[in-house]
Protein backbone atom coordinates (compact mmCIF):
# COMPACT_ATOMS: atom_id res chain seq x y z
CA UNK A 1 0.00 0.00 0.00
CA UNK A 2 1.32 3.39 -0.96
CA UNK A 3 2.74 5.62 1.70
CA UNK A 4 0.83 8.78 2.54
CA UNK A 5 2.30 12.16 3.13
CA UNK A 6 0.82 14.47 5.70
CA UNK A 7 -2.02 16.22 3.87
CA UNK A 8 -3.58 19.59 4.36
CA UNK A 9 -7.08 18.32 5.15
CA UNK A 10 -8.20 21.03 7.55
CA UNK A 11 -9.41 23.34 4.82
CA UNK A 12 -11.22 20.43 3.17
CA UNK A 13 -12.94 19.55 6.40
CA UNK A 14 -13.89 23.02 7.62
CA UNK A 15 -14.26 24.80 4.32
CA UNK A 16 -15.71 22.27 1.91
CA UNK A 17 -19.30 23.53 2.09
CA UNK A 18 -18.26 27.16 1.77
CA UNK A 19 -15.93 26.39 -1.12
CA UNK A 20 -18.62 24.46 -2.99
CA UNK A 21 -21.10 27.27 -2.43
CA UNK A 22 -18.67 29.87 -3.72
CA UNK A 23 -17.97 27.82 -6.81
CA UNK A 24 -21.66 27.21 -7.54
CA UNK A 25 -22.57 30.87 -7.19
CA UNK A 26 -19.74 32.30 -9.26
CA UNK A 27 -21.60 34.31 -11.90
CA UNK A 28 -20.79 33.63 -15.52
CA UNK A 29 -20.40 36.96 -17.24
CA UNK A 30 -22.09 36.76 -20.67
CA UNK A 31 -20.31 38.12 -23.68
CA UNK A 32 -21.35 41.65 -24.62
CA UNK A 33 -24.04 41.60 -27.39
CA UNK A 34 -22.78 42.59 -30.79
CA UNK A 35 -23.41 46.23 -31.65
CA UNK A 36 -26.26 46.64 -34.18
CA UNK A 37 -25.16 47.41 -37.70
CA UNK A 38 -24.94 51.14 -38.35
CA UNK A 39 -27.93 52.53 -40.29
CA UNK A 40 -26.69 54.42 -43.33
CA UNK A 41 -27.53 58.13 -43.33
CA UNK A 42 -30.26 59.06 -45.80
CA UNK A 43 -28.99 60.61 -48.99
CA UNK A 44 -29.28 64.42 -49.24
CA UNK A 45 -32.08 65.68 -51.47
CA UNK A 46 -30.92 66.21 -55.03
CA UNK A 47 -32.10 69.82 -55.01
CA UNK A 48 -29.95 70.72 -52.03
CA UNK A 49 -26.87 71.53 -54.10
CA UNK A 50 -25.23 73.65 -51.41
CA UNK A 51 -25.36 71.02 -48.69
CA UNK A 52 -21.98 69.41 -48.35
CA UNK A 53 -21.87 65.68 -48.61
CA UNK A 54 -21.87 64.08 -45.23
CA UNK A 55 -18.94 61.83 -46.08
CA UNK A 56 -16.86 64.78 -47.26
CA UNK A 57 -17.02 66.82 -44.03
CA UNK A 58 -17.56 64.19 -41.33
CA UNK A 59 -14.31 62.71 -40.17
CA UNK A 60 -14.16 58.99 -40.29
CA UNK A 61 -15.09 57.36 -37.04
CA UNK A 62 -12.14 55.83 -35.28
CA UNK A 63 -11.82 52.11 -35.51
CA UNK A 64 -13.95 50.43 -32.90
CA UNK A 65 -12.01 49.29 -29.86
CA UNK A 66 -12.09 45.49 -29.74
CA UNK A 67 -14.57 44.31 -27.17
CA UNK A 68 -13.00 42.99 -24.00
CA UNK A 69 -13.14 39.21 -23.85
CA UNK A 70 -15.85 37.74 -21.68
CA UNK A 71 -14.71 37.30 -18.11
CA UNK A 72 -13.71 33.79 -17.20
CA UNK A 73 -15.28 32.53 -13.95
CA UNK A 74 -12.63 32.49 -11.25
CA UNK A 75 -11.26 29.14 -10.23
CA UNK A 76 -11.91 28.28 -6.59
CA UNK A 77 -8.83 29.22 -4.62
CA UNK A 78 -6.91 26.38 -3.08
CA UNK A 79 -5.75 26.71 0.50
CA UNK A 80 -2.10 27.50 0.97
CA UNK A 81 0.08 25.09 2.86
CA UNK A 82 0.22 27.21 5.99
CA UNK A 83 -0.79 24.63 8.55
CA UNK A 84 0.97 24.68 11.90
CA UNK A 85 0.81 22.54 15.03
CA UNK A 86 -0.51 24.61 17.91
CA UNK A 87 -0.33 21.89 20.56
CA UNK A 88 0.09 18.14 21.03
CA UNK A 89 -2.12 15.99 23.25
CA UNK A 90 -0.53 12.55 23.57
CA UNK A 91 -1.20 10.89 20.18
CA UNK A 92 -3.11 13.82 18.69
CA UNK A 93 -1.91 17.06 17.15
CA UNK A 94 -3.92 20.26 17.25
CA UNK A 95 -3.42 21.62 13.73
CA UNK A 96 -4.45 25.13 12.72
CA UNK A 97 -4.37 27.19 9.53
CA UNK A 98 -2.78 30.62 9.71
CA UNK A 99 -5.18 33.30 8.48
CA UNK A 100 -4.67 37.00 7.85
CA UNK A 101 -7.25 38.05 10.44
CA UNK A 102 -5.83 35.77 13.12
CA UNK A 103 -9.01 33.69 13.37
CA UNK A 104 -7.21 30.43 12.73
CA UNK A 105 -9.50 27.37 12.34
CA UNK A 106 -8.17 24.26 14.07
CA UNK A 107 -8.66 20.51 14.05
CA UNK A 108 -7.26 17.48 15.83
CA UNK A 109 -5.14 15.25 13.62
CA UNK A 110 -3.44 11.85 13.67
CA UNK A 111 -1.59 9.70 11.15
CA UNK A 112 -2.95 6.15 11.27
CA UNK A 113 -0.24 3.49 11.05
CA UNK A 114 -0.28 -0.28 10.66
CA UNK A 115 1.44 -2.76 12.96
CA UNK A 116 4.71 -2.27 11.05
CA UNK A 117 4.65 1.50 11.40
CA UNK A 118 3.62 2.19 7.82
CA UNK A 119 1.17 4.99 7.05
CA UNK A 120 -2.28 3.61 6.22
CA UNK A 121 -4.55 6.65 6.51
CA UNK A 122 -5.02 9.79 8.54
CA UNK A 123 -7.87 11.43 10.40
CA UNK A 124 -8.85 14.98 11.24
CA UNK A 125 -11.70 15.80 13.60
CA UNK A 126 -13.43 18.94 14.88
CA UNK A 127 -16.65 20.06 16.53
CA UNK A 128 -19.66 21.07 14.45
CA UNK A 129 -22.09 23.93 15.07
CA UNK A 130 -24.72 23.15 17.70
CA UNK A 131 -28.26 22.24 16.72
CA UNK A 132 -27.57 19.33 14.39
CA UNK A 133 -27.75 15.60 14.96
CA UNK A 134 -23.99 15.32 14.40
CA UNK A 135 -21.96 17.17 17.02
CA UNK A 136 -18.54 16.43 15.52
CA UNK A 137 -17.18 15.86 12.05
CA UNK A 138 -14.23 13.79 10.93
CA UNK A 139 -12.41 13.40 7.63
CA UNK A 140 -10.43 10.22 6.99
CA UNK A 141 -8.05 10.06 4.04
CA UNK A 142 -7.00 6.74 2.51
CA UNK A 143 -4.66 5.99 -0.43
CA UNK A 144 -5.85 6.37 -4.01
CA UNK A 145 -5.41 2.62 -4.58
CA UNK A 146 -8.27 1.81 -2.18
CA UNK A 147 -11.28 -0.16 -3.44
CA UNK A 148 -13.95 2.50 -3.00
CA UNK A 149 -16.90 0.16 -3.51
CA UNK A 150 -15.92 -1.48 -0.22
CA UNK A 151 -16.76 1.17 2.35
CA UNK A 152 -14.62 2.26 5.24
CA UNK A 153 -15.46 0.68 8.60
CA UNK A 154 -14.57 1.97 12.07
CA UNK A 155 -14.88 0.02 15.32
CA UNK A 156 -14.35 1.68 18.69
CA UNK A 157 -12.95 -0.94 21.09
CA UNK A 158 -15.40 -3.88 21.01
CA UNK A 159 -18.48 -2.00 19.81
CA UNK A 160 -20.23 -2.87 16.57
CA UNK A 161 -18.33 -1.57 13.51
CA UNK A 162 -19.85 1.37 11.67
CA UNK A 163 -19.72 1.67 7.89
CA UNK A 164 -18.99 4.93 6.07
CA UNK A 165 -18.87 5.59 2.30
CA UNK A 166 -16.11 7.48 0.56
CA UNK A 167 -17.30 10.87 -0.64
CA UNK A 168 -14.61 12.26 -2.94
CA UNK A 169 -11.02 11.82 -4.14
CA UNK A 170 -8.19 14.24 -4.85
CA UNK A 171 -4.64 13.55 -6.05
CA UNK A 172 -3.48 13.12 -2.45
CA UNK A 173 -6.04 10.40 -1.66
CA UNK A 174 -9.71 9.54 -1.18
CA UNK A 175 -11.85 10.84 1.66
CA UNK A 176 -14.66 9.66 3.89
CA UNK A 177 -16.49 12.45 5.71
CA UNK A 178 -18.08 11.29 8.95
CA UNK A 179 -20.59 12.83 11.31
CA UNK A 180 -20.55 11.73 14.95
CA UNK A 181 -23.55 11.91 17.25
CA UNK A 182 -23.06 12.80 20.91
CA UNK A 183 -23.24 9.11 21.88
CA UNK A 184 -20.63 8.20 19.26
CA UNK A 185 -18.37 11.06 20.32
CA UNK A 186 -18.65 9.94 23.95
CA UNK A 187 -17.57 6.45 22.90
CA UNK A 188 -14.42 7.91 21.34
CA UNK A 189 -13.72 9.89 24.50
CA UNK A 190 -14.09 6.82 26.71
CA UNK A 191 -12.39 4.34 24.38
CA UNK A 192 -8.78 3.28 24.05
CA UNK A 193 -8.61 2.73 20.29
CA UNK A 194 -10.68 2.81 17.12
CA UNK A 195 -9.86 0.31 14.38
CA UNK A 196 -10.37 1.22 10.73
CA UNK A 197 -10.63 -1.32 7.93
CA UNK A 198 -10.03 -0.55 4.26
CA UNK A 199 -9.75 -2.79 1.19
CA UNK A 200 -6.85 -2.39 -1.28
CA UNK A 201 -7.78 -2.16 -4.94
CA UNK A 202 -5.07 -4.62 -5.96
CA UNK A 203 -6.01 -7.17 -3.29
CA UNK A 204 -9.78 -7.01 -2.71
CA UNK A 205 -9.71 -10.21 -0.65
CA UNK A 206 -7.11 -8.83 1.75
CA UNK A 207 -8.48 -6.27 4.18
CA UNK A 208 -6.11 -3.81 5.85
CA UNK A 209 -6.72 -2.76 9.44
CA UNK A 210 -5.03 -0.11 11.54
CA UNK A 211 -5.69 1.46 14.93
CA UNK A 212 -6.53 5.07 15.72
CA UNK A 213 -5.14 5.79 19.16
CA UNK A 214 -7.65 7.55 21.41
CA UNK A 215 -5.00 8.56 23.93
CA UNK A 216 -5.37 12.29 24.43
CA UNK A 217 -8.59 12.38 22.39
CA UNK A 218 -10.73 14.25 24.95
CA UNK A 219 -8.14 16.93 25.70
CA UNK A 220 -7.44 17.50 22.02
CA UNK A 221 -11.14 17.68 21.16
CA UNK A 222 -11.95 20.11 23.97
CA UNK A 223 -9.02 22.35 22.97
CA UNK A 224 -10.09 22.40 19.31
CA UNK A 225 -13.72 23.18 20.15
CA UNK A 226 -12.69 25.98 22.51
CA UNK A 227 -10.27 27.52 20.01
CA UNK A 228 -12.75 27.42 17.13
CA UNK A 229 -15.47 28.93 19.32
CA UNK A 230 -13.18 31.78 20.40
CA UNK A 231 -12.13 32.59 16.84
CA UNK A 232 -15.55 32.02 15.31
CA UNK A 233 -14.22 29.37 12.95
CA UNK A 234 -17.17 27.15 13.87
CA UNK A 235 -20.39 28.90 14.88
Amino acid sequence: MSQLTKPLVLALALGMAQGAYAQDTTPVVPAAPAAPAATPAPAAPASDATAPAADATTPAAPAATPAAPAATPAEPQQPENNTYVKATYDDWEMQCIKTKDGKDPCQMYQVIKDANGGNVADISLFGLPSGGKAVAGATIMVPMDTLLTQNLTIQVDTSAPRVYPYTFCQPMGCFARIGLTQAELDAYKKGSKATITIVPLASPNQKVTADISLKGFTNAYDAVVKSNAETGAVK
Side-chain angles (χ1 to χ4, degrees), residues 16 35 38 72 133 140 177 193 232:
M16 181 60 64
T72 303
K133 183 177 179 181
I140 296 179
R177 300 179 69 194
K193 69 177 182 179

Side-chain angles (χ1 to χ4, degrees), residues 16-17 24 28 31 63 67 71 80 100 104 110 118-119 143 174 178 215:
M16 181 60 64
D24 291 343
V28 177
E80 297 180 359
K100 293 181 180 179
D104 301 351
Q110 183 181 140
N119 296 342
C174 293
I178 298 167
K215 186 178 181 181

Side-chain angles (χ1 to χ4, degrees), residues 26-126:
T26 301
V28 177
V29 180
T39 303
S47 59
D48 190 2
T50 60
D55 291 341
T57 59
T58 304
T65 303
T72 303
E75 293 289 337
Q77 294 184 354
Q78 297 298 321
E80 297 180 359
N81 189 9
N82 51 1
T83 304
Y84 65 94
V85 177
K86 186 175 182 178
T88 301
Y89 300 90
D90 292 317
D91 293 333
W92 292 87
E93 291 181 349
M94 180 178 177
Q95 284 187 354
C96 304
I97 288 184
K98 179 66 66 176
T99 59
K100 293 181 180 179
D101 59 7
K103 298 180 179 180
D104 301 351
C106 297
Q107 69 177 4
M108 50 192 296
Y109 176 87
Q110 183 181 140
V111 177
I112 306 170
K113 299 180 178 292
D114 60 21
N116 297 321
N119 296 342
V120 173
D122 57 26
I123 179 172
S124 60
L125 193 144
F126 50 92

